[in-house]
Amino acid sequence: MANRIISPSVLSADFGNLRQDIEMLNRSSAEWIHVDVMDGVFVPNISFGFPVMKTLRQYSTKPLDVHLMITHPERYVERFADAGAWSIGFHLEAVSDPRPILQQIRQKGCRTCLTINPDIEVERLEPYLAEVDMVLLMSVYAGYGGQAFIEDSYQRLQQLKQMITYRGLSTLIEVDGGVNPHNAERLFSMGADALVAGSAVFHTPDPERSILQLKGVL
């Protein structure tokens, strides 16, 4: 069976009870914990930085899947790695050349991830597919939680999967934005290896059950 990884986004967690929410994720069937970092420049919102990262690392038993929605990610790669990141992703459209930053991430022992927003052509990822562990395909525009899934993302996912398969690569595909139990099965069946979910996990009566539903177990 193909990968069916769920990476709940703590952007949607209850920050008044963050330790409790992390411990819930530790008990759950989620494989990763997604950490959305926003700087108020690359995206029109600000989330959190190193102090929260250290709290997540202190209490989490799951890998921290860090998504940098920031300008100049090269300035912060080492600090996020030192704060406990397992995977570090940044936006292709935020940099002139991603390769030096990918090298930075590798040198820190973290998995590499390259991300694009819905208005960036999937073809722009092609030169880098063999150099990254994962591609994060945004199915909403980066910057806010709770947005509706963009339907064109299915076609983009299919195109990206074909590019990876044609080259015989093992690059993972992660999809982030508007993921819910109604579209998760289709996303997995079309080639997604990992799904990021915020509201569909934390804003439900039983988050652990919701994770199982996203995986298609229930």
Side-chain angles (χ1 to χ4, degrees), residues 19 25 43-44 54 90 109 124 175 178 198 213-215:
R19 180 175 179 178
L25 294 179
V43 292
K54 290 176 181 176
F90 61 96
R124 287 186 57 186
V175 177
Q213 289 177 322
L214 289 164
K215 293 169 79 76

Side-chain angles (χ1 to χ4, degrees), residues 2-7 32 65 111-114 116 122 125 129 132-139 153-165 169-176 187-196:
N3 292 314
R4 289 200 168 209
I5 297 164
I6 300 297
S7 186
W32 306 339
D65 171 31
R111 292 167 64 93
T112 56
C113 177
L114 202 53
I116 57 170
V122 173
L125 291 165
L129 289 177
V132 296
D133 295 302
M134 183 166 68
V135 170
L136 174 54
L137 196 67
M138 294 299 299
S139 45
S153 302
Y154 292 120
Q155 183 271 330
R156 289 165 58 80
L157 169 60
Q158 187 175 44
Q159 182 183 359
L160 178 58
K161 184 64 177 181
Q162 288 171 348
M163 289 165 57
I164 291 170
T165 301
L169 301 173
S170 57
T171 312
L172 298 181
I173 301 175
E174 185 174 41
V175 177
D176 181 2
L187 290 167
F188 278 131
S189 67
M190 293 184 72
D193 300 287
L195 301 180
V196 177

Side-chain angles (χ1 to χ4, degrees), residues 45-157:
N45 203 355
I46 296 174
S47 58
F48 42 75
F50 306 109
V52 173
M53 271 288 297
K54 290 176 181 176
T55 299
L56 293 171
R57 183 66 284 157
Q58 179 180 357
Y59 295 116
S60 173
T61 60
K62 306 286 177 78
L64 299 183
D65 171 31
V66 177
H67 174 196
L68 301 180
M69 291 172 265
I70 65 176
T71 59
H72 304 294
E74 70 280 358
R75 297 179 182 175
Y76 303 100
V77 162
E78 292 191 7
R79 288 188 65 187
F80 276 106
D82 291 341
W86 170 76
S87 173
I88 299 178
F90 61 96
H91 278 256
L92 176 62
E93 62 268 35
V95 301
S96 57
D97 181 4
R99 287 190 171 98
I101 306 170
L102 294 171
Q103 179 64 15
Q104 262 189 303
I105 296 170
R106 282 191 292 269
Q107 287 175 344
K108 292 298 292 184
C110 297
R111 292 167 64 93
T112 56
C113 177
L114 202 53
T115 307
I116 57 170
N117 263 316
D119 58 345
I120 303 301
E121 298 86 351
V122 173
E123 291 87 349
R124 287 186 57 186
L125 291 165
E126 189 169 4
Y128 313 107
L129 289 177
E131 303 176 44
V132 296
D133 295 302
M134 183 166 68
V135 170
L136 174 54
L137 196 67
M138 294 299 299
S139 45
V140 300
Y141 284 91
Y144 292 100
Q147 297 180 65
F149 182 84
I150 296 173
E151 293 294 316
D152 183 53
S153 302
Y154 292 120
Q155 183 271 330
R156 289 165 58 80
L157 169 60

Side-chain angles (χ1 to χ4, degrees), residues 3-18:
N3 292 314
R4 289 200 168 209
I5 297 164
I6 300 297
S7 186
S9 171
V10 291
L11 187 65
S12 297
D14 178 357
F15 278 79
N17 296 283
L18 185 56

Side-chain angles (χ1 to χ4, degrees), residues 200-213:
V201 170
F202 291 102
H203 299 172
T204 64
D206 187 344
E208 291 181 64
R209 179 179 174 83
S210 297
I211 291 168
L212 290 171
Q213 289 177 322

